[in-house]
Amino acid sequence: MIDNDWLEPLSAEFSKPYYAKLYKFVNEEYRTHTIYPKKQDVFAAYDRTPLKDVRVLILGQDPYHEPGQAHGLCFSVSPGVAIPPSLVNIYKELHDDLGLYIPDNGYLAKWADQGVMLLNTVLTVRAHVAFSHRGKGWEQFTDATIRALNKQDRPIVFMLWGKPAQQKAAMLDNPKHLVLKAAHPSPLSAHRGFFGCRHFSKANDFLVSNGLSPIDWQIEQIGESV
């Protein structure tokens, strides 16, 4: 469960009927099927990036559904796991935007530790079955998360990639924030507006202009860190 400063704005969700159904469903899924990520990693995005530290939100869809990939941070995979295609394209855009080298791993915890919340809209998935936990209640919970961020009285960057993420823009009406939209980095859509979006430099420019430190987006080689 969540035990840091995210608990206060989200505590009301835990007592709502949808969450009781979601809790029962997810527990039964873990009991009867292989589910990703591991139970202890379901709320990793919240644990790793407390509310008070969030400077950027990157919104994914549902977790990776193949063995060893998902660990609770969207687009990220554990050390030693092959870099998924969408993250390959994110790295390409980072290289073109900021001149960063492309690392040999897809472990994005460094971003989360700097205040980049890596949140999927759905937090669990059945092995090998993409979107299998869509429509079960997670979307209501993560919408509450987005609303809590929108209410923060400080500048936050929201990176919304792909149509499902862009639909969340309607919830973001705080003029202090920066909302960036682009195509999804998936190989199916990256060439339709993700490549060249320059979201990473735009985010850093916005943070600096508001007196905040920029994000160090460079993920180091696995041999140099982790």
Side-chain angles (χ1 to χ4, degrees):
M1 294 293 288
I2 295 168
D3 60 4
N4 59 13
D5 63 352
W6 275 110
L7 189 57
E8 182 179 352
L10 295 177
S11 59
E13 302 304 306
F14 297 123
S15 60
K16 292 180 179 178
Y18 87 84
Y19 194 87
K21 292 180 182 177
L22 172 65
Y23 185 85
K24 183 178 180 180
F25 167 78
V26 170
N27 273 292
E28 182 65 11
E29 285 283 287
Y30 273 103
R31 192 182 70 80
T32 57
H33 297 85
T34 300
I35 303 299
Y36 300 126
K38 295 177 181 177
K39 256 189 179 181
Q40 63 266 30
D41 291 334
V42 169
F43 293 108
Y46 300 85
D47 296 337
R48 198 101 198 191
T49 313
L51 175 58
K52 64 179 175 57
D53 295 337
V54 177
R55 293 187 283 156
V56 178
L57 175 72
I58 296 179
L59 199 60
Q61 296 180 28
D62 73 336
Y64 296 126
H65 54 267
E66 296 302 326
Q69 292 182 313
H71 67 105
L73 305 180
C74 76
F75 295 108
S76 179
V77 291
S78 297
V81 177
I83 303 171
S86 290
L87 184 52
V88 168
N89 288 338
I90 291 170
Y91 283 162
K92 286 179 181 177
E93 177 60 20
L94 272 165
H95 173 73
D96 293 344
D97 186 9
L98 294 172
L100 305 188
Y101 68 80
I102 296 176
D104 59 2
N105 68 96
Y107 188 55
L108 305 181
K110 176 182 176 179
W111 293 359
D113 292 343
Q114 294 180 81
V116 180
M117 189 176 192
L118 299 169
L119 181 69
N120 282 311
T121 54
V122 175
L123 300 187
T124 54
V125 69
R126 190 182 291 186
H128 317 302
V129 189
F131 305 118
S132 48
H133 287 185
R134 180 191 278 175
K136 302 297 184 180
W138 279 129
E139 294 91 342
Q140 287 174 258
F141 187 79
T142 52
D143 278 359
T145 303
I146 295 167
R147 285 193 295 270
L149 287 168
N150 182 58
K151 290 178 182 176
Q152 294 298 297
D153 189 27
R154 55 191 172 83
I156 297 174
V157 181
F158 294 83
M159 294 185 181
L160 307 180
W161 299 336
K163 286 185 179 178
Q166 289 176 24
Q167 289 171 355
K168 308 297 183 182
M171 303 164 59
L172 303 172
D173 58 3
N174 187 332
K176 292 203 170 187
H177 303 324
L178 175 66
V179 179
L180 300 173
K181 301 178 188 177
H184 194 275
S186 159
L188 298 173
S189 56
H191 291 279
R192 296 202 295 265
F194 179 76
F195 290 136
C197 71
R198 300 184 63 86
H199 278 189
F200 303 101
S201 60
K202 289 176 181 177
N204 278 353
D205 289 347
F206 175 77
L207 293 171
V208 170
S209 71
N210 281 280
L212 301 171
S213 300
I215 304 296
D216 177 5
W217 295 104
Q218 181 69 69
I219 299 297
E220 286 84 6
Q221 300 291 81
I222 204 78
E224 299 174 18
S225 68
V226 182

